[in-house]
Amino acid sequence: MNTKQVQNPETQVPKTPQMNERDFLNDMLATEKYMTLSYSVYLHEASNQPLYQDMMNIFTETQNCQRDLYNLMFKKGWYKLEAADPQKLQQTYQQFQGYTNQLPYQRNAMQ
């Protein structure tokens, strides 16, 4: 199978026992992912509206930070993506499009 990698040139870091820039960014990204997940659970269960709104703001800031860290790591070549096959995307889209008629509120699902 011929897969196309999408990536930037990799920024080299020293290979030493000490943490390097890549290690620090990877650790920060993992922490932001964990925090975003935890805030998401809280938001699903919050009943106090003012507290919910405060947490939603914090969640959004954390999510944006997570995305910025990911973008920085991708820019430095430390994240590699596989380009999606357009034919496979179309097949998957058609497959899930067929599932929408099973949803109780079809009109809302399509919007």
Side-chain angles (χ1 to χ4, degrees):
M1 177 181 247
N2 185 11
T3 60
K4 296 178 184 177
Q5 292 288 323
V6 178
Q7 75 180 99
N8 291 306
E10 186 171 345
T11 301
Q12 297 300 312
V13 292
K15 297 188 186 310
T16 64
Q18 292 80 25
M19 288 182 69
N20 56 44
E21 182 184 8
R22 181 180 178 173
D23 296 331
F24 281 111
L25 287 174
N26 199 34
D27 184 56
M28 291 167 59
L29 181 59
T31 300
E32 294 297 325
K33 286 180 179 181
Y34 172 77
M35 290 172 58
T36 301
L37 181 62
S38 297
Y39 290 141
S40 180
V41 170
Y42 172 85
L43 291 170
H44 288 289
E45 299 174 358
S47 60
N48 180 286
Q49 185 60 34
L51 190 54
Y52 170 86
Q53 193 56 54
D54 287 344
M55 256 333 182
M56 178 57 94
N57 293 337
I58 294 169
F59 170 84
T60 302
E61 289 175 13
T62 304
Q63 183 67 36
N64 290 340
C65 184
Q66 174 187 333
R67 186 65 182 177
D68 291 344
L69 287 167
Y70 163 80
N71 286 335
L72 179 59
M73 291 188 73
F74 182 75
K75 180 180 173 184
K76 290 182 172 280
W78 298 332
Y79 254 96
K80 298 173 185 141
L81 305 173
E82 183 179 316
D85 176 16
Q87 183 178 0
K88 192 171 184 179
L89 282 174
Q90 184 62 32
Q91 289 172 344
T92 303
Y93 174 78
Q94 289 172 350
Q95 174 188 354
F96 285 99
Q97 191 69 14
Y99 294 156
T100 59
N101 63 1
Q102 299 173 22
L103 298 173
Y105 303 104
Q106 292 178 20
R107 195 173 308 151
N108 291 339
M110 297 301 293
Q111 296 174 351

